[in-house]
């Protein structure tokens, strides 16, 4: 892409009828690819990777290669609509934007007058990672309104808090340095499906002899790709990490100089891990004693070594402590000082921007407005007092993605709940709405992007006209602000203004100097990560906290510890309903091509368990617990250990909740950060129909 072309005005790509224009993938995926969109007669006809992007280098996943079909899907919403049938029936009638905004603001004004602004709750997540649309104008609006606040804990918060106790924040290895890594430990991450460019780097490293170890509860595509797959029982990973520490100290394989210079508490840790001998750890984890030794020695002897910490293992009751514990390992071997070594859970700390300027919490009348954990939406809608009387859902599909799904749906169908849903599609959540608003795709907006894996800030300028009458989140909140009669200048800021405000953040030295014009010219700009983050860790001590006084003050054990999962009823199997390869959470689950690529929603089961239950591959199986049930197709083999069943994908149901895995998941919160515990539920499994008779 010639620089000259990039320097043109914000709308140049929009008005360009033919040719190739730059874009950013807006999906909630660590890779945040640079894209090139091919336009013909004003329409996007092809999506490919931008070869100039330093990290993603022209490769993109199969999902987004087919993005064109989603953009122009005839099912896309084109007009605002109001409900005309019963709640949840899905009968709507088109209305104008004027009527839509008027209906919403009239209702909200009367709710505010009668019950106060906390009777209204926004519910959103990162369906579009663009910062202005995901957490910009919306925050300004709901802050100004004084609405109840949403604690956005559904994804990575338990692990984020746990990692921060050890490292101070989301700071880890630069993925670009991992071409030189010699040992990759993919720990509870389905990298092949969920972080494909880390696989590309690992493949390059493999050409120089690197080895890949995968530790997972399921031998999925990532486990099959590994040089060595280590199956482990769900929720026991911290015990394995502590067993590794036990051996590292016992065999004098630790880097004492590093421990002394860069950590606090290594002497206490040395004593503490004596209890985690390999026999004890093996009994907890299901990992054979000899494999614990082999893994630890491989880890001690190979440099650079990288632990890529996934999201999967923190979606458990003990997820925070688990990540806090694993994050201690690279300190024992001094790997943080080796380029390509260390660990990475998330890297968002490097690109932390000025959220106060972007979101304006100062506009909130009551800074202590109630905070509602998004993992407990069902209980919040059914039990909170004073009640939530209106919910505004955008960039999120809670009727599919939130735990205790049946409770969520009972809440959404409440006759007295005024529900607004803003999305590109009539999602399962939108089916319950009183007012449905059509959303633009990210390619129709201006926004900036900060990856949580690589170190680049990226800019998206609009490249296609809004589809039908659809509007961006930013524009909808501008309209709502006007409708409410708010005259604050912040609602008139342009997208470029907001990006400038967000990037102006001297408190983050890594972001220094990155500004809007530069992004307009260069599209992707790297944070200045030259000063080693290990030298300026934002922990209370400024060092890696193997012993954490902050944890002690917060009521946790100060040293890394194994805590078992909560006993979730008496059902025989632990159920891990993980994401799949061809959907992005529930996004794409409404697209025929993506459904065909996934074929059928499966339940992976150990052969010995299946035999005992009289279940064979291909059988339809019903899985259930006290919270609900769903039906999947059995896939029997050795990909999971006994006592564990795994499904993949959040299947959209279009009204038929047969494959609704979140009907079974608990809404208990994890040990830290109010995190989700999707993978700590127990279930029973039985055959409903054999493969032979369908
Ligand atoms: N194709 C695709 N890509 C995605 C997504 C998607 O839905 N599809 N979702 C995006 C989002 S929002 C996120 S947060 C990330 C998530 O992507 P990842 O970080 O990869 O996390 P998960 O896929 O949830 O889980 C990873 C693995 O953890 C395993 N696991 C579960 N419990 C345990 C355990 O106790 N111990 C161990 N060792 N392993 C365990 C699961 O079997 C799974 O293979 O991916 C993003 N990218
Ligand atoms: N069982 C189980 N459940 C899980 C998980 C799991 O592993 N297992 N993973 C959890 C995790 S990690 C996450 S992050 C959540 C994700 O859950 P969600 O954030 O709900 O993700 P999606 O299902 O992809 O839904 C995003 C929605 O946003 C819409 N959207 C996209 N762009 C825009 C926009 O610009 N404006 C508006 N208004 N809408 C837009 C999309 O059309 C889509 O309907 O799911 C969680 N649920
Ligand atoms: S979903 Fe992830 S891998 Fe696929 S194009 Fe988007 S950022 Fe890249
Ligand atoms: Mo997520």
């Amino acid at each position: 892409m010639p620089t000259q072309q990039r320097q043109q005005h914000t709308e140049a790509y929009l008005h360009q009828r033919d040719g190739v224009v730059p874009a950013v993938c807006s999906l909630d995926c660590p890779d945040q690819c640079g894209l090139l969109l091919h336009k013909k007669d004003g329409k996007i006809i092809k999506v490919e990777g931008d070869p100039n992007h330093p990290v993603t280098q022209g490769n993109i996943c199969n999902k987004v290669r087919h993005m064109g079909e989603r953009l122009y899907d005839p099912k896309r919403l084109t007009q605002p609509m109001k409900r005309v049938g019963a709640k949840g029936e899905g009968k709507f009638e088109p209305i104008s934007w004027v009527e839509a905004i008027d209906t919403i603001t009239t209702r909200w004004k009367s709710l505010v007058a009668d019950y106060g602004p906390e009777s209204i709750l926004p519910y959103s997540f990162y369906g579009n990672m663009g910062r202005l649309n995901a957490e910009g104008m919306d925050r300004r609006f709901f802050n100004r309104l004084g609405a109840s606040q949403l604690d956005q804990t559904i994804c990575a918060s338990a692990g984020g808090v746990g990692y921060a106790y050890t490292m101070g924040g989301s700071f880890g290895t630069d993925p670009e340095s991992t071409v030189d890594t010699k040992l990759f430990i993919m720990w509870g991450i389905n990298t092949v499906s969920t972080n494909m460019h880390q696989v590309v780097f690992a493949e390059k490293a493999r050409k120089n002899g690197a080895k890949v170890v995968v530790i997972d509860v399921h031998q999925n595509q990532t486990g099959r790709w590994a040089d060595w797959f280590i199956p482990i029982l769900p929720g026991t990973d911290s015990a394995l990490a502590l067993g590794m520490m036990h051996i590292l100290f016992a065999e004098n394989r630790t880097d004492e100089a590093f421990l002394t210079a860069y950590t606090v508490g290594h002497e206490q840790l040395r004593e503490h891990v004596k209890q985690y001998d390999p026999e004890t750890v093996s009994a907890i984890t299901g990992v054979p004693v000899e494999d614990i030794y082999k893994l630890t020695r491989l880890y001690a002897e190979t440099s650079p070594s990288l632990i890529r910490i996934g999201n999967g293992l923190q979606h458990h009751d003990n997820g925070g402590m688990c990540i806090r514990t694993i994050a201690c390992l690279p300190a024992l071997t001094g790997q943080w000082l080796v380029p390509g070594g260390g660990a990475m859970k998330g890297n968002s700390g490097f690109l932390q921007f000025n959220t106060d300027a972007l979101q304006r919490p100062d506009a909130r009348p009551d800074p202590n407005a109630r905070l509602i954990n998004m993992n407990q939406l069902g209980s919040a809608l059914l039990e909170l007092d004073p009640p939530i009387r209106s919910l505004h859902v955008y960039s999120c599909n809670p009727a599919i993605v939130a735990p205790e799904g049946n409770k969520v749906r009972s809440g959404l169908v409440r006759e007295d709940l005024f529900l607004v849903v803003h999305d590109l599609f009539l999602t399962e959540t939108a089916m319950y709405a009183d007012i449905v608003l059509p959303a633009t795709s990210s390619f129709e907006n201006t926004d900036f992007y900060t990856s949580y894996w690589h170190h680049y800030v990226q800019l998206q300028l609009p490249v296609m006209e809004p589809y039908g009458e659809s509007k961006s989140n930013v524009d909808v909140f501008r309209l709502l602000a006007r409708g409410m009669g708010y005259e604050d200048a912040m609602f008139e800021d342009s997208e470029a203004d907001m990006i400038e405000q967000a990037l102006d953040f001297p408190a983050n030295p890594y972001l220094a100097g990155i500004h809007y014009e530069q992004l307009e010219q260069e599209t992707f700009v790297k944070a200045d990560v030259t000063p080693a983050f290990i030298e300026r860790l934002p922990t209370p001590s400024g060092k890696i906290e193997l012993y954490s006084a902050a944890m002690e003050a917060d009521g946790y054990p100060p040293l890394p510890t194994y805590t078992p999962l909560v006993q979730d009823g008496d059902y025989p199997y632990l159920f891990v309903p993980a994401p799949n390869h061809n959907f992005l959470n529930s996004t794409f689950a409404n697209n025929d091509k993506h459904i065909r690529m996934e074929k059928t929603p499966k339940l992976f089961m150990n052969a010995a368990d299946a035999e005992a239950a009289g279940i064979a591959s291909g059988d339809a199986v019903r899985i259930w617990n006290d919270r609900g049930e769903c039906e999947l197709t059995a896939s029997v083999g050795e990909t999971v250990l006994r006592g564990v069943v795994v499904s993949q994908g959040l299947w959209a149901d279009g009204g038929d909740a047969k494959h609704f895995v979140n009907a079974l998941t608990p809404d208990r919160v994890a040990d830290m950060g109010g995190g989700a515990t999707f993978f700590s539920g127990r279930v029973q499994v039985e055959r409903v129909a054999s493969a032979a008779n369908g």
Side-chain angles (χ1 to χ4, degrees), residues 24-35 47 56 59-65 193-197 584 588:
V24 188
C25 178
S26 64
L27 295 176
D28 187 354
C29 169
D31 301 46
Q32 203 150 95
C33 291
L35 304 177
V47 180
T56 60
N59 302 304
I60 57 168
C61 67
N62 201 32
K63 303 183 288 294
V64 170
R65 215 171 277 293
S193 297
T194 63
N195 185 197
M196 64 168 274
H197 296 86
L584 199 300
F588 300 118

Side-chain angles (χ1 to χ4, degrees), residues 28-30 63 125 155 187-191 193-195 215-218 220 232-237 309-313 315-316 452 576 578-585 646 679:
D28 187 354
C29 169
K63 303 183 288 294
F125 209 63
C155 180
W187 204 325
I189 180 164
N190 184 4
T191 332
S193 297
T194 63
N195 185 197
I215 304 171
D216 203 295
V217 303
H218 178 211
N220 51 33
I232 188 166
L233 289 167
T236 67
D237 301 78
I309 304 173
N311 231 31
L313 71 176
H315 275 161
H316 282 292
Y452 52 92
V576 177
N580 68 6
H581 191 76
N582 292 297
F583 306 162
L584 199 300
N585 304 316
V646 174
F679 302 161

Side-chain angles (χ1 to χ4, degrees), residues 277-334:
D277 59 274
E279 288 71 24
T280 303
V281 167
S282 177
I284 297 169
T285 58
V287 180
V289 169
E290 55 276 20
D291 284 351
I292 302 172
Y293 277 108
K294 188 177 145 192
L295 172 65
T296 310
R297 289 170 186 161
L298 182 68
Y299 184 60
E301 288 162 10
T302 318
S303 178
S305 66
L306 175 83
I307 304 178
R308 177 72 176 97
I309 304 173
N311 231 31
L313 71 176
Q314 55 96 64
H315 275 161
H316 282 292
D317 296 307
N318 58 10
M321 188 55 111
C322 174
I323 306 303
R324 182 280 191 273
T325 302
I326 294 172
C328 292
L329 273 169
L332 270 68
T333 54

Side-chain angles (χ1 to χ4, degrees), residues 1 5-6 8 11-22 37-43 462-465:
M1 178 72 41
Q5 203 174 336
R6 288 207 167 135
Q8 287 169 356
E11 293 201 340
Y13 301 133
L14 182 61
H15 301 310
Q16 187 181 330
R17 304 279 304 161
D18 296 286
V20 181
V21 296
L37 307 180
H38 293 246
K39 288 182 80 176
K40 191 164 188 293
D41 298 331
K43 201 178 160 187
V463 295
M464 69 182 259
E465 294 289 347

Side-chain angles (χ1 to χ4, degrees), residues 26-28 70 123-130 133-134 153-156 311-312 314-315 374-375 392-403 421-429 437-442 445 447 449 452 471-474 476-477 575-580 583-590 647 649-650 661-663 665 676 678-679:
S26 64
L27 295 176
D28 187 354
R70 186 172 166 83
Y123 196 93
S124 71
F125 209 63
Y126 290 86
N128 170 359
M129 288 292 297
N133 281 284
T153 48
I154 205 164
C155 180
N311 231 31
Q314 55 96 64
H315 275 161
M374 74 184 293
N375 291 315
H392 181 111
V393 179
Y394 54 102
S395 311
C396 191
N397 188 9
I400 290 284
V401 307
V421 179
H422 183 204
D423 202 294
L424 286 79
F425 290 91
L426 194 65
T427 58
E428 291 72 10
T429 310
L437 303 174
T440 48
S441 76
S442 62
N445 307 333
D447 214 325
Y449 291 80
Y452 52 92
K471 289 190 190 297
S472 70
N473 298 4
V474 170
V476 166
F477 287 104
F575 177 44
V576 177
N580 68 6
F583 306 162
L584 199 300
N585 304 316
S586 77
T587 298
F588 300 118
N590 62 348
S647 69
L650 299 177
V661 292
N662 274 327
T665 51
F678 289 110
F679 302 161

Side-chain angles (χ1 to χ4, degrees), residues 476-497:
V476 166
F477 287 104
R478 264 195 242 284
L479 289 176
L480 288 169
R482 270 176 224 155
M484 294 299 287
Y486 301 156
E487 287 172 355
D488 315 56
M490 64 180 176
F491 295 115
E492 302 308 321
D493 285 343
S494 71
E495 276 88 340
D497 295 337

